[in-house]
């Protein structure tokens, strides 16, 4: 349309100029000049559009892990905008762990014409994928432990980063510092897709060693707290994967288990800064940064690559919790390339 209107104007000019004695060649030159001007204007408009992007960041709920990822995404988008001399406008949305709210956010984001959507956590990613189906707006998710189990693979406009957990490494950590464990507690939400695979892997590991386990689940903070409290006196250690429901109550759960003399092994370092004993996993700041870079690459190239599994293998230990439990964790040095010591965040 940007070209069509100037060409019509040129045609009208040709008829007018012919009536005044101009030749057809002169008129054709005028028409060609007008079309060239229109093409230049269109090219300028396209360049301006390519220098400005709108990104929606959709966080499933508030808790330390997801907050850390969001902050890293925003920081990297700001850094890349400054580095490349472009404008990246982003807006934060929070679904409060409610599918209805997340679906409403998805509808709004698509209607508002965002160029890309970055959902953080599984339910947010699933809802944004559904919302963007008609427009094929790129969805670049962050921190999906098992994209295949969450039905987020083989979709041409969907990709992202995975914080897939090495469950065996965490189980190995348990027995490295507590070789006499008799019973392990498995604490998780049965509504969390992130927990399905690692819990199954933990059971298989413990079955192979002939170690008993007790499963406790919950879908609200109160239910998780009740489940955690019921494990005191029943188990020698507790394992929770990258479970968003448990993470929301991580500080209280960690305090309860530590007071009960039970080491709390988890799937993310943010649990450990909340008071859990230890984890072996990915760095969520690095994951957020990688996700932001991935989103910008897609916006600039139009190419949607396969999802990326972040490197793990970093053991994080809460030294305050270790002291309270009286655990010597020096054996962890033989299990990982890096052992990070932290204290409980305020």
């Amino acid at each position: 349309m940007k070209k069509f209107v100037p060409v019509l104007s040129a045609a009208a000019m040709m008829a007018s100029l012919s009536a005044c004695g101009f030749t057809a060649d002169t008129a054709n030159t005028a028409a060609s000049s007008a079309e060239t001007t229109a093409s230049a204007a269109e090219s300028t408009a396209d360049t301006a559009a390519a220098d400005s992007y709108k990104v929606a960041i959709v966080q499933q709920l508030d808790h330390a892990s997801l907050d850390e990822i969001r902050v890293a995404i925003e920081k990297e988008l700001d850094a890349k905008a400054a580095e490349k001399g472009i404008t990246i406008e982003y807006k934060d949305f929070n679904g409060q762990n409610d599918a209805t709210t997340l679906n409403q956010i998805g509808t709004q984001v698509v209607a508002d014409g965002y160029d890309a959507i970055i959902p953080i956590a599984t339910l947010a990613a699933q809802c944004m994928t559904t919302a963007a189906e008609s427009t094929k707006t790129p969805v670049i998710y962050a921190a999906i432990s098992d994209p295949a189990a969450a039905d987020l693979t083989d979709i041409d406009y969907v990709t992202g980063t995975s914080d897939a957990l090495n469950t065996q490494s965490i189980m190995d950590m348990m027995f490295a510092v507590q070789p006499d464990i008799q019973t392990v507690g498995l604490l998780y939400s049965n509504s969390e897709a992130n927990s399905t695979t690692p819990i199954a892997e933990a059971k298989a590991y413990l079955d192979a060693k002939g170690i008993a386990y007790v499963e406790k689940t919950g879908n609200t903070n109160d239910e998780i707290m009740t489940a955690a409290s019921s494990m005191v006196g029943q188990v020698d250690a507790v394992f929770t994967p990258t479970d968003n429901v448990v993470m929301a109550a991580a500080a209280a759960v960690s305090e309860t288990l530590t007071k009960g003399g039970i080491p709390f092994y988890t799937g993310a370092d943010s649990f450990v800064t909340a008071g859990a004993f230890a984890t072996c996993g990915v760095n969520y700041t690095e994951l957020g940064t990688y996700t932001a870079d991935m989103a910008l690459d897609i916006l600039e190239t139009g190419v949607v690559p396969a999802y990326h599994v972040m490197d793990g293998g970093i053991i994080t230990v809460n030294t305050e919790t270790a002291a309270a439990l009286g655990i010597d964790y020096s054996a962890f040095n033989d299990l990982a390339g890096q052992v990070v010591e932290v204290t409980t965040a305020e």
Side-chain angles (χ1 to χ4, degrees), residues 97-251:
N97 210 33
D98 180 76
T100 300
T101 301
L102 285 164
N103 286 328
Q104 290 170 345
I105 291 171
T107 299
Q108 176 187 343
V109 164
V110 170
D112 288 347
Y114 281 84
D115 298 304
I117 309 171
I118 303 179
I120 307 174
T122 303
L123 181 59
Q126 291 169 329
C127 292
M128 295 310 109
T129 296
T130 299
E133 184 175 5
S134 60
T135 59
K136 299 296 187 285
T137 303
V139 175
I140 306 95
Y141 54 73
I144 308 301
S145 296
D146 192 340
D151 296 322
L152 293 170
T153 55
D154 300 322
I155 305 172
D156 57 7
Y157 60 96
V158 178
T159 188
T161 53
S162 172
D163 58 346
L165 194 62
N166 188 331
T167 308
Q168 179 174 331
S169 293
I170 297 178
M171 295 291 112
D172 288 343
M173 287 168 59
M174 280 189 185
F175 289 93
V177 297
Q178 294 177 268
D180 298 326
I181 287 177
Q182 300 297 311
T183 306
V184 173
L186 304 177
L187 177 65
Y188 62 101
S189 168
N190 51 22
S191 66
E192 268 287 309
N194 283 351
S195 294
T196 303
T197 297
I199 288 296
E201 291 170 345
K203 290 179 181 178
Y205 180 102
L206 295 170
D207 285 339
K209 290 181 71 72
I211 303 296
Y213 52 83
V214 174
E215 291 182 76
K216 297 290 182 179
T217 64
N219 290 309
T220 66
N221 276 16
D222 288 343
E223 290 173 355
I224 291 297
M225 284 306 305
T226 298
S229 298
S230 70
M231 289 185 172
V232 176
Q234 293 192 53
V235 302
D236 304 303
V238 171
F239 167 64
T240 289
T242 50
D243 190 299
N244 289 299
V245 176
V246 180
M247 181 62 232

